[in-house]
Amino acid sequence: MNPRAGTLIATGALIAGTVTVLPASAEPRPEPTARPIAPLVWTGCATPAYPKLQCATLQVPLNHDDPAGRSITLALTRVAHTAKESQGPLLVNPGGPGGSGRLMAGFVAGALPARVAARYDVIGFDPRGVGRSEPALDCRPGHFDPVRHDSVPSGAEGERRGVERARAFAEACGRKHGDVLPYIDTVSAARDMDAIRAALGAPRLNYLGYSYGTYLGAVYARLYPERVGRFALDSVVNPQGVWYEDNIAQDYAFDTRHKDFMAWVARQDATYRLGTDPAEVEAAWYRMRDAVRESPAGGKVGPGELEDTFLPGGYYDGYWPKLAAAFAAYVNDKDPAPLTKAYEDHAAADAVADNSYSVYTSVQCRDANWPRDWNVWRKDNWDVHAKAPFSTWNNAWYNAPCAFWPVDSLTPPDVTNDKVPPVLIVQATDDAATPYEGGVALHRMVRGSSLVVEEGGGNHGVTLSGNDCLDEHLTAYLDTGVVPRGDATSEADAVCAALPEPKPVAPPKARTGAAVLHGLLGQGG
């Protein structure tokens, strides 16, 4: 699923490089003899929001099984500890794959209680291929430029266009980045994490990972169990479904979350005037989708862009009021301007998004097997779409380059683990991006882990986001290493209530005369 919301065939076959992958029953093998690691040189790179931020770079092998071969560069950040005694590094990752983590160090250091943050060197990083790490991937600039074809295929021609677009992305990635694609994967990124640990001179690594970052952390823990310190994993990828099955699960979950949003809009009928019946409101949303297919809002927002615009509401309900306002303005007042602005604010792609998507596809397509027969995709996605139409085909096209990826796929490691200290797992029950079952699955796979549940919560990435109960569990763990323990009657070791629903925001006043005409002309009519 699109990682931008929250928070791919080459012309010739490429030979896949050797990457460490653990069979289900294997133990981690000894690392090849590593090259000497130069000390990190930290320089000031403060921002107004994060005045204590420092930056450094680290050279790591492109292929960790060939440490004397080609190097690539990772971009790192740090907020240094200030306490007399340090707990060591706390590496942070925001997910993706493809998310930049450089500014996350400043955010986490500022969001944790000062006395806890003071004991850690909070370390952010751009994973290989991402952001200011080099080389940074950008397979096909403008791949998401509006207006795209309707994500739901209309007959054979609509499907052909989607397949050609996905194939073009795969081919572009192979042409531009074929030399590095065999090494853009989760296991390689986990080995980079250990190189960061070694460069910091730390015997163990502490870690806070969100979303895809939970899977990255679980893979690291399987590779290097003796080097695991305090690991907190928030909004957990189901390691048993990477990646095709996990995306199918997301389709159902995002449709359910979209219905939750429609029900919330119905409860706010006094503000939005879209009806008191959730089914009525949802029908109005799909009528809006039909309308922008015929005449894209502002010349930018067709059906695919509309889905992209509302998808962030599945990650975080704080977006609901403004999305509902744009929805109401379009339906009730025939005003496309708020909808166009919502697209520009939440979904329009830029160079950062192009880079993020290039890494997303590179990692997911390389990590695990995907169907190479398009007939499988067609059948599966029409079957799911019949039950969960909100974003199924949009998500299918987002991942479709993997059907044509120019590098062979790896076998995902089994992240079952009985050799690590207590790991803290945090999961909301109604999370759409990483459904609840993933948190439960990892909890069962990692012996001694503790599962903290946000009951009734639908947001994604829920610690350090305003829920005091969840934050108390996280900070107590980072402070002491102690996790909550429940009893045998419940899967969860601790339960926190979800945050209250957001408050509605009134739609903008309807425009009149020339302003409305200008907006309608912007739709192409």
Side-chain angles (χ1 to χ4, degrees):
M1 180 57 69
N2 184 343
R4 290 184 286 119
T7 49
L8 309 158
I9 251 178
T11 53
L14 296 176
I15 299 174
T18 303
V19 177
T20 300
V21 180
L22 304 179
S25 60
E27 293 300 314
R29 69 188 187 188
E31 291 290 299
T33 302
R35 71 182 78 178
I37 297 175
L40 293 172
V41 178
W42 296 99
T43 59
C45 58
T47 70
Y50 307 122
K52 297 180 181 179
L53 206 63
Q54 298 173 317
C55 291
T57 58
L58 175 65
Q59 299 287 312
V60 297
L62 172 64
N63 178 0
H64 281 280
D65 286 335
D66 181 17
R70 176 181 170 185
S71 293
I72 59 174
T73 302
L74 302 181
L76 311 181
T77 57
R78 176 180 75 170
V79 176
H81 75 278
T82 56
K84 290 183 179 180
E85 293 186 5
S86 171
Q87 184 61 34
L90 174 63
L91 192 68
V92 295
N93 180 272
S100 170
R102 292 176 70 254
L103 293 180
M104 190 178 173
F107 168 77
V108 170
L112 288 172
R115 66 177 182 80
V116 176
R119 298 175 56 214
Y120 287 95
D121 292 316
V122 184
I123 308 293
F125 71 112
D126 282 352
R128 54 176 56 203
V130 176
R132 295 197 182 178
S133 291
E134 296 176 355
L137 306 189
D138 190 351
C139 295
R140 191 173 184 239
H143 185 72
F144 288 97
D145 285 353
V147 173
R148 308 193 305 272
H149 64 84
D150 189 347
S151 55
V152 179
S154 177
E157 175 60 19
E159 185 176 326
R160 182 191 64 78
R161 290 170 64 191
V163 168
E164 287 183 354
R165 179 171 171 269
R167 189 192 302 272
F169 188 92
E171 290 175 345
C173 234
R175 285 193 302 270
K176 290 183 72 173
H177 304 299
D179 57 335
V180 299
L181 289 186
Y183 311 104
I184 307 295
D185 63 274
T186 298
V187 170
S188 294
R191 296 176 79 176
D192 289 344
M193 287 170 55
D194 201 58
I196 294 171
R197 176 204 59 77
L200 294 168
R204 288 179 299 279
L205 191 66
N206 305 295
Y207 181 73
L208 172 59
Y210 293 85
S211 192
Y212 164 77
T214 66
Y215 182 62
L216 178 59
V219 170
Y220 180 90
R222 176 59 196 258
L223 288 170
Y224 308 105
E226 75 285 358
R227 299 172 189 169
V228 169
R230 296 170 188 175
F231 264 46
L233 308 178
D234 181 332
S235 303
V236 176
V237 165
N238 189 338
Q240 297 171 329
V242 294
W243 288 109
Y244 186 75
E245 292 81 4
D246 278 350
N247 275 278
I248 294 292
Q250 281 187 333
D251 295 337
Y252 289 108
F254 271 104
D255 193 81
T256 297
R257 195 66 182 143
H258 187 62
K259 286 179 168 61
D260 291 343
F261 173 37
M262 298 294 99
W264 178 85
V265 173
R267 292 194 294 276
Q268 313 301 332
D269 184 57
T271 300
Y272 298 116
R273 299 181 295 117
L274 287 165
T276 58
D277 179 357
E280 234 179 76
V281 176
E282 188 175 20
W285 192 91
Y286 282 101
R287 287 195 299 272
M288 177 172 67
R289 189 187 188 284
D290 291 340
V292 299
R293 181 194 303 111
E294 299 302 318
S295 182
K300 296 180 179 180
V301 184
E305 292 77 21
L306 185 75
E307 291 158 348
D308 291 351
T309 301
F310 280 79
L311 189 65
Y315 284 81
Y316 174 55
D317 62 16
Y319 293 124
W320 287 3
K322 290 188 176 179
L323 290 175
F327 175 19
Y330 186 92
V331 171
N332 295 328
D333 303 322
K334 314 303 180 193
D335 183 359
L339 189 61
T340 304
K341 186 172 190 311
Y343 163 74
E344 292 169 345
D345 289 346
H346 302 308
D350 56 13
V352 172
D354 286 344
N355 167 245
S356 177
Y357 179 63
S358 296
V359 176
Y360 170 91
T361 45
S362 298
V363 170
Q364 293 217 346
C365 299
R366 177 66 167 147
D367 264 2
N369 286 320
W370 293 75
R372 294 287 183 150
D373 181 352
W374 184 254
N375 292 322
V376 175
W377 292 70
R378 178 190 299 116
K379 180 183 184 305
D380 287 349
N381 283 283
W382 278 121
D383 286 350
V384 177
H385 175 84
K387 301 173 184 176
F390 167 58
S391 62
T392 293
W393 272 106
N394 191 311
N395 194 28
W397 297 123
Y398 200 81
N399 291 283
C402 293
F404 312 106
W405 198 242
V407 178
D408 289 340
S409 297
L410 301 169
T411 300
D414 178 357
V415 299
T416 301
N417 208 319
D418 61 1
K419 297 180 179 179
V420 290
V423 170
L424 183 71
I425 296 172
V426 183
Q427 186 71 42
T429 57
D430 300 336
D431 181 357
T434 51
Y436 179 71
E437 292 75 17
V440 173
L442 188 64
H443 178 42
R444 293 173 179 172
M445 295 170 76
V446 179
R447 190 175 71 179
S449 63
S450 174
L451 176 62
V452 176
V453 171
E454 186 184 47
E455 185 66 42
N459 291 336
H460 180 67
V462 289
T463 57
L464 304 183
S465 297
N467 188 316
D468 292 341
C469 174
L470 295 176
D471 290 353
E472 286 171 5
H473 287 295
L474 174 65
T475 57
Y477 174 64
L478 293 177
D479 190 26
T480 67
V482 175
V483 295
R485 293 295 182 196
D487 56 40
T489 64
S490 173
E491 191 82 55
D493 292 285
V495 177
C496 295
L499 293 173
E501 290 184 340
K503 302 291 185 184
V505 172
K509 292 182 179 179
R511 299 175 300 160
T512 58
V516 172
L517 178 60
H518 177 75
L520 293 173
L521 290 174
Q523 295 184 77

